[in-house]
Amino acid sequence: LVDTSRCVDGCTACVAACNKENGLSGQNGPDDSQWIRKVELKEKSTGRTLSLPVMCQHCGEPPCVDVCPTGASFKRADGIVLVDRHLCIGCRYCLAACPYDARSFNWTTPYYPPEAEAHPYSPEEPWPTPKGVAMKCMFCAHRAREGQLPECATGCPMGAIYFGNENEDAVTNGFGETLPFRKTLQNQGGFRWKEELGTDPRVYYLPARR
């Protein structure tokens, strides 16, 4: 859940935190991809703008999973969409299918730190993505497993990004502030981006308040 009234235009702290955690944008090699980008939306009637951090929406009906010929893109039982880098053949069908432009492709050989070489492989771990493989936000599945928030949430200096288990009806930001999920959406006019496409995106946004 992203509170856009707290999201400051021009701030990219969430992007930097994600890049560092996942070895992107030169942090762990030559790859300059990023899994979060800031998008500006303008309200036609008023001219007001919203600054939205956009990452993988972890759709309930993910088109990337539907088009993947090898099963490399898959959705876990808890709804998180992952990429098995050992199964990905680099066809990039998933990049074309994603309406959020949330996926990128690694064209270069990344730098593998010693701890990555010694670590057992898992699609849930943020180790460098091999050359010729699709990649994307994974909601920091390795941190969620330990009961921690994604790095974008803890790295946001404004506390704008919340994360939680929808079944528990609660989301928490990096400040430790917890909100009732469904009630907050209802009371503050929460919305999902491009939900009219039928992808059932699991990232929600709260509109900026006057």
Side-chain angles (χ1 to χ4, degrees):
L1 177 68
V2 180
D3 187 346
T4 63
S5 66
R6 290 189 174 194
C7 187
V8 179
D9 187 22
C11 175
T12 57
C14 60
V15 177
C18 175
N19 288 348
K20 184 176 180 180
E21 179 71 10
N22 295 287
L24 304 171
S25 293
Q27 293 288 340
N28 223 14
D31 175 42
D32 63 351
S33 299
Q34 61 186 46
W35 294 353
I36 305 177
R37 70 187 194 284
K38 296 294 287 290
V39 174
E40 186 177 277
L41 299 182
K42 180 177 288 187
E43 191 176 275
K44 292 182 179 180
S45 59
T46 65
R48 296 172 62 199
T49 60
L50 293 179
S51 180
L52 269 63
V54 176
M55 63 287 285
C56 173
Q57 305 290 294
H58 294 272
C59 303
E61 300 293 336
C64 57
V65 172
D66 292 341
V67 301
C68 180
T70 66
S73 292
F74 66 98
K75 185 176 73 170
R76 297 195 322 189
D78 62 1
I80 293 180
V81 178
L82 298 174
V83 178
D84 188 330
R85 288 157 283 184
H86 284 181
L87 295 179
C88 179
I89 58 174
C91 67
R92 304 193 294 280
Y93 287 170
C94 60
L95 274 73
C98 177
Y100 303 98
D101 294 325
R103 290 186 171 229
S104 53
F105 188 77
N106 190 14
W107 296 94
T108 59
T109 301
Y111 165 69
Y112 285 85
E115 58 268 27
E117 294 283 3
H119 198 281
Y121 169 74
S122 168
E124 300 176 351
E125 296 292 338
W127 300 115
T129 300
K131 181 179 180 180
V133 171
M135 53 186 179
K136 66 171 203 67
C137 156
M138 55 183 182
F139 272 172
C140 287
H142 60 296
R143 293 174 60 88
R145 186 175 60 240
E146 304 298 328
Q148 300 176 340
L149 296 173
E151 194 64 34
C152 59
T154 59
C156 176
M158 308 304 294
I161 300 178
Y162 295 77
F163 184 78
N165 185 327
E166 187 177 16
N167 294 328
E168 297 174 356
D169 197 29
V171 288
T172 304
N173 67 5
F175 295 166
E177 299 170 342
T178 299
L179 299 175
F181 178 63
R182 293 180 180 84
K183 184 177 180 180
T184 299
L185 290 179
Q186 182 177 6
N187 291 346
Q188 299 188 28
F191 66 94
R192 295 182 290 176
W193 195 29
K194 298 183 180 181
E195 65 176 316
E196 69 276 6
L197 299 179
T199 57
D200 188 23
R202 311 312 294 161
V203 176
Y204 294 78
Y205 296 92
L206 300 180
R209 298 178 291 281
R210 296 185 185 277

